[in-house]
Amino acid sequence: MKWHDFLTVAGQNDYPHRFTNELIFCQFMEATGAEIVVRCLAEEGVEFVFGYPGGAVLNIYDEIFKQNKFKHVLVRHEQAAVHAADAYARATGRVGVALVTSGPGVTNAVTGIATAYMDSIPIVVVTGQVPTPAIGLDAFQEVDTVGITRPCVKHNFLVKDVKDLAATMKKAFIIAATGRPGPVVVDVPKDVTAHLTDFEYPATVEMRSYNPVVKGHSGQMKRAVQMLLEAKRPMIYAGGGVVLGDASGQLTELARLLGFPVTNTLMGLGGHPATDKQNLGMLGMHGTYEANMAMQHCDVLLAVGARFDDRVIGNPAHFAREQRRIIHVDIDPSSISKRVKVDVPIVGDVQNVLTDMLALLKQAKEKPDAAALNAWWTQIELWRSKNCLNYNRNSPIIKPQYVVEKLWEVTKGDAFVTSDVGQHQMWAAQYYKFDKPRRWINSGGLGTMGVGLPYAMGVQLAHPEAQVACITGESSIQMNIQELSTCKQYRIPVKVVMLNNRYMGMVRQWQEFFYGSRYAESYMESLPDFVKLAESYGHVGMRIDKPEDVEAALKEAFSPALKERMVFMDFQTDQTENVFPMVEGGKGLSEMILAEEL
Amino acid sequence: MSRRHIISLLMENEAGALSRVAGLFSARAYNIESLTVAPTEDATLSRMTIVTVGSEDIIEQITKQLNKLVDVIKVMDLTEGSHIERELMLVKVKAVGAGREEMKRTADIFRGRIIDVTDATYTIELTGTGSKLDAFLEAIDPAFIIETVRTGASGIGRGERSLKV
């Protein structure tokens, strides 16, 4: 039996007295609000609901008990429920779903919701609320959910009448998944889950106030293509929008057709194959020398699904010192000319726009300026020859970069990799070469420590046969370590690659650089024995102290013998290793600190 | 360069709609000089007038961010074209002795109306642009002012220019 067979055997391991009431799936019959919630999720084809029960959602859980259309995954903390739903969405492109109770259930979920919001991830979070007559009376487990979540959702709803429930659920799924995606919260008071109404799930719902732009402006696209063909020193800068908009095929074709260099943002990794000759790696604060230099010195920049944020271009005034014309393709008009003025804005779905631009390019009589492009590539190769990601491969202590490189080799570059936040996240982004989109799952915008393990759970459930690795640190993993229990319950066989340097590494690095090596509260003391901890949950634990044992440990963890098991690898890494290159906050992109300079 | 803008918008008349707009302004540190809101002739729609100050870049972001709110149907920067702006002010003033007649004359000059009278007070109603209302308050002796209340600006486009669904 495979681990995931347990998920499909009608949940018998969960519910010994389970029964299926097919009656609730008859059309046009009266249903309670709770039945409607469950029925709507089934109609949307939801596979997994990540959640945690509580008073206000008991009616909904009772209906979940009676159905077999989707699987409920019981997490150990609401934050992890939202992260897992978020990761499911990132790895599949479908809407992830989480279900939490009122009050503390909601406040625990907020970090997960804000994480998804910052990275534009489509999720629907159903939250319980106190009964409508109790709202505003400081009832037990009451919070103003709509108010608390408003700044970190794409939209939210409070459903006060059961008659509005089905249409609201439909709207939630539409809003989450279309336009620039994002989280939507549906707050359902307990009495609404008990009230009866006629149920019919609408196929679609019209919203006069919500019509995201899909097609790009044809005149602007013509101007853009002309500009690309005239470029002497072109650059393509691709962000998370390429991954979210499923446009990596179009982007790769466009880059190949033009012969232009490509850089990916942290969120865009995999949107253009990292092993492609034209790929210059990640740009930004910890981007490669060649990507940052090319970004700074290009004369025509094509930005696709990216937002010029502070971790990407550094100081905007410094970035603007060099003259360049910018074409910016994005589905969200408010992302355009927010931090950097652009010359050709194109609002639209990136896949549509790139498809149309490809067609225009193929029709065009002109070809890119081969001589200029040659000279540009010669310059780029000179930058690339700095070999900025080099590190000491003969160290007697395990180098964290080495672990990531070996992981890439052992998994043949084909794993889904989640990470937490900090130095290990940057090393994962730099040294694991992602050739496919939706393989790299991390919290780029909010930078939420603790996402790694619940992210890995969501990804593994979405892709049960895939290799899933969670690259983490000893500090981040402890922020959601309780999910080892969820992994045990559902036998989720993720592989945790913990780079243990006994420090909050990125905090330590900044303290070393900018605070005179005064390591205030960044040393991680009193760590548990992670091997025993993993074993206590029934998982496989490993501790690796020497560089020569790294490869063997990874091979064992990803061997067929342990395919069905969760493996927790504790790599004791070099405590003093820093992430390079680095652009200090407020500095320009071309003002990098390189490893060799220290 | 910062300039004063009047932004008009139509949005779904739903609970929490106002807080979405107010929240957006505070979260992104935009200025609000005044904000007025009321349902339109179509009760499902609310019309909001926001007076704000900012550079062209900021105003562009404000209109884009407002348009991005799911409940917002249309946004228009009235100050981009010809428009009419009105604000209503009620002022309660001391009206005694010689000052009583003087106060009535000043109100007349500003086309204000006295809408409530006691032995010792007048309540004056004035409409106009914000600067006209400011001018009235400067024209009378501040010692006579008991209380003022202003609605904030409402605005509408001139001629054919209109904001509707």
Side-chain angles (χ1 to χ4, degrees):
Chain A
M1 260 180 110
K2 297 224 165 99
W3 73 272
H4 47 96
D5 290 338
F6 290 93
L7 297 173
T8 47
V9 178
Q12 277 155 6
N13 51 333
D14 295 340
Y15 305 139
H17 308 295
R18 185 192 182 88
F19 62 94
T20 303
N21 183 357
E22 287 297 332
L23 269 182
I24 68 162
F25 288 105
C26 290
Q27 282 228 306
F28 308 120
M29 78 179 267
E30 271 211 325
T32 64
E35 287 176 70
I36 290 172
V37 169
V38 167
R39 177 73 189 272
C40 290
L41 296 175
E43 292 274 355
E44 286 293 334
V46 170
E47 279 185 285
F48 296 103
V49 170
F50 300 90
Y52 204 106
V57 285
L58 279 176
N59 290 332
I60 299 174
Y61 271 87
D62 199 39
E63 293 307 321
I64 288 176
F65 185 86
K66 297 175 190 167
Q67 60 83 43
N68 61 2
K69 299 286 178 190
F70 58 81
K71 177 80 184 170
H72 181 272
V73 177
L74 176 68
V75 294
R76 299 299 184 265
H77 186 286
E78 287 91 348
Q79 182 189 344
V82 183
H83 289 327
D86 164 340
Y88 174 89
R90 292 178 199 242
T92 61
R94 306 177 60 198
V95 177
V97 178
L99 171 61
V100 301
T101 194
S102 65
V106 169
T107 53
N108 281 346
V110 165
T111 301
I113 295 168
T115 304
Y117 179 68
M118 286 294 275
D119 291 342
S120 307
I121 306 303
I123 56 170
V124 169
V125 182
V126 178
T127 59
Q129 183 53 282
V130 301
T132 43
I135 290 178
L137 301 180
D138 302 320
F140 177 65
Q141 293 195 328
E142 179 186 1
V143 291
D144 173 9
T145 299
V146 164
I148 277 185
T149 59
R150 198 193 56 233
C152 58
V153 293
K154 184 170 173 188
H155 199 58
N156 56 19
F157 298 96
L158 168 61
V159 184
K160 284 188 177 157
D161 186 338
V162 71
K163 290 191 184 68
D164 300 330
L165 187 53
T168 304
M169 289 293 287
K170 186 75 215 179
K171 283 183 191 171
F173 275 86
I174 293 173
I175 292 169
T178 56
R180 180 177 181 172
V184 179
V185 166
V186 182
D187 196 27
V188 190
K190 188 169 186 183
D191 56 332
V192 172
T193 64
H195 292 158
L196 281 164
T197 190
D198 286 336
F199 171 67
E200 188 187 351
Y201 196 58
T204 188
V205 177
E206 284 293 310
M207 284 168 275
R208 61 181 168 180
S209 62
Y210 181 73
N211 297 295
V213 178
V214 179
K215 297 290 272 182
H217 186 279
S218 59
Q220 293 291 69
M221 287 191 290
K222 278 185 195 138
R223 277 183 65 202
V225 166
Q226 195 56 40
M227 207 174 267
L228 289 174
L229 289 170
E230 288 164 5
K232 306 279 182 221
R233 300 185 310 279
M235 181 72 174
I236 300 174
Y237 151 54
V242 173
V243 176
L244 293 171
D246 292 319
S248 61
Q250 287 78 3
L251 177 80
T252 309
E253 194 187 342
L254 185 93
R256 201 158 291 158
L257 196 67
L258 290 164
F260 289 1
V262 182
T263 180
N264 297 116
T265 66
L266 177 69
M267 296 312 297
L269 296 177
H272 182 261
T275 55
D276 190 305
K277 271 296 274 180
Q278 286 170 243
N279 192 287
L280 307 189
M282 182 172 78
L283 85 165
M285 182 172 268
H286 294 298
T288 65
Y289 186 71
E290 54 271 30
N292 284 347
M293 292 302 276
M295 185 79 176
Q296 183 75 18
H297 296 288
C298 64
D299 73 334
V300 172
L301 179 65
L302 171 63
V304 189
R307 58 188 178 91
F308 293 91
D309 84 278
D310 54 311
R311 286 297 192 262
V312 165
I313 58 152
N315 183 339
H318 183 279
F319 185 65
R321 275 190 213 165
E322 254 74 40
Q323 287 285 315
R324 66 178 85 67
R325 290 184 293 172
I326 302 177
I327 303 157
H328 192 176
V329 183
D330 204 286
I331 191 133
D332 179 1
S334 73
S335 281
I336 294 177
S337 291
K338 183 165 73 175
R339 294 191 80 240
V340 168
K341 275 275 171 212
V342 307
D343 301 278
V344 184
I346 304 174
V347 176
D349 175 85
V350 286
Q351 195 195 63
N352 269 324
V353 173
L354 292 183
T355 304
D356 290 349
M357 280 175 63
L358 269 169
L360 288 170
L361 265 175
K362 285 173 185 165
Q363 291 163 16
K365 291 187 188 72
E366 307 97 304
K367 292 280 163 261
D369 183 340
L373 210 51
N374 241 329
W376 179 228
W377 271 111
T378 305
Q379 174 62 67
I380 289 170
E381 290 306 335
L382 207 65
W383 287 327
R384 189 151 28 191
S385 68
K386 274 223 180 222
N387 199 10
C388 69
L389 293 181
N390 197 19
Y391 64 93
N392 179 10
R393 287 182 167 79
N394 301 314
S395 162
I397 311 166
I398 298 175
K399 288 287 181 183
Q401 300 95 320
Y402 178 70
V403 179
V404 179
E405 266 185 357
K406 285 293 156 195
L407 175 68
W408 180 70
E409 282 174 30
V410 167
T411 56
K412 300 185 173 61
D414 202 33
F416 285 82
V417 177
T418 76
S419 89
D420 269 302
V421 168
Q423 284 186 321
H424 67 268
Q425 177 190 25
M426 293 300 115
W427 286 317
Q430 291 174 330
Y431 294 89
Y432 199 102
K433 300 182 193 74
F434 293 94
D435 280 339
K436 294 178 190 166
R438 300 195 182 280
R439 294 293 169 120
W440 166 237
I441 314 287
N442 84 125
S443 167
L446 195 66
T448 309
M449 287 172 71
V451 294
L453 183 54
Y455 270 3
M457 292 168 9
V459 174
Q460 187 79 77
L461 285 161
H463 300 291
E465 285 296 306
Q467 308 177 87
V468 178
C470 164
I471 299 180
T472 182
E474 83 292 339
S475 308
S476 280
I477 191 77
Q478 292 190 88
M479 285 209 186
N480 266 319
I481 194 79
Q482 77 286 346
E483 297 308 312
L484 288 173
S485 176
T486 311
C487 292
K488 180 185 185 188
Q489 182 174 346
Y490 300 95
R491 304 163 196 238
I492 303 172
V494 301
K495 311 294 186 258
V496 173
V497 177
M498 183 173 75
L499 305 176
N500 184 349
N501 64 355
R502 284 80 71 206
Y503 271 110
M504 295 162 207
M506 194 58 93
V507 174
R508 195 204 60 82
Q509 178 169 343
W510 282 55
Q511 287 171 334
E512 181 187 330
F513 289 7
F514 312 124
Y515 295 90
S517 297
R518 293 183 297 281
Y519 299 126
E521 304 297 324
S522 58
Y523 184 66
M524 260 294 149
E525 282 193 60
S526 310
L527 289 170
D529 179 332
F530 286 101
V531 172
K532 281 190 185 152
L533 180 68
E535 285 171 355
S536 75
Y537 283 104
H539 304 312
V540 179
M542 297 180 186
R543 181 180 154 122
I544 303 97
D545 297 287
K546 295 197 208 75
E548 56 268 32
D549 298 334
V550 168
E551 189 167 356
L554 287 166
K555 278 187 170 157
E556 189 190 346
F558 286 95
S559 69
L562 293 180
K563 185 162 192 287
E564 308 286 308
R565 301 292 300 280
M566 179 182 185
V567 182
F568 195 115
M569 287 162 272
D570 177 357
F571 292 94
Q572 298 288 313
T573 61
D574 188 343
Q575 293 193 281
T576 59
E577 193 60 37
N578 289 319
V579 182
F580 294 110
M582 180 171 182
V583 180
E584 281 181 46
K587 286 279 173 70
L589 260 190
S590 54
E591 302 176 308
M592 281 163 280
I593 312 172
L594 298 177
E596 70 207 40
E597 287 165 7
L598 289 170
Chain B
M1 196 192 70
S2 275
R3 218 161 58 87
R4 178 174 177 271
H5 288 253
I6 305 172
I7 295 168
S8 271
L9 62 92
L10 286 171
M11 66 192 303
E12 297 290 351
N13 184 14
E14 275 172 15
L18 173 62
S19 68
R20 288 183 206 281
V21 173
L24 170 68
F25 273 73
S26 65
R28 295 190 181 266
Y30 303 142
N31 292 308
I32 300 185
E33 253 184 25
S34 72
L35 187 157
T36 68
V37 60
T40 66
E41 79 283 4
D42 172 354
T44 67
L45 284 177
S46 278
R47 172 138 175 175
M48 197 177 283
T49 310
I50 305 159
V51 179
T52 183
V53 175
S55 63
E56 288 307 311
D57 292 353
I58 298 279
I59 301 297
E60 183 183 334
Q61 267 297 311
I62 289 176
T63 52
K64 282 175 170 177
Q65 294 290 348
L66 286 170
N67 265 311
K68 203 165 132 182
L69 292 175
V70 168
D71 281 339
V72 170
I73 301 169
K74 270 190 182 164
V75 179
M76 187 161 99
D77 183 351
L78 283 177
T79 26
E80 268 180 3
S82 183
H83 65 281
I84 299 158
E85 172 193 347
R86 287 290 180 275
E87 183 175 357
L88 170 67
M89 174 169 72
L90 303 177
V91 200
K92 187 169 289 178
V93 291
K94 287 180 195 153
V96 284
R100 192 168 171 95
E101 190 50 35
E102 172 68 21
M103 188 60 75
K104 180 162 184 336
R105 271 202 299 276
T106 313
D108 285 342
I109 293 167
F110 281 85
R111 298 181 203 282
R113 294 194 301 143
I114 294 168
I115 53 173
D116 189 43
V117 179
T118 69
D119 291 351
T121 68
Y122 283 150
T123 301
I124 303 166
E125 173 195 310
L126 273 151
T127 53
T129 61
S131 56
K132 174 183 157 182
L133 307 188
D134 292 342
F136 175 77
L137 293 178
E138 278 161 27
I140 59 177
D141 185 342
F144 287 149
I145 301 174
I146 299 167
E147 187 182 353
T148 66
V149 54
R150 296 171 69 151
T151 59
S154 285
I156 198 162
R158 272 196 191 276
E160 303 287 303
R161 196 165 176 242
S162 64
L163 179 67
K164 58 186 294 185
V165 176

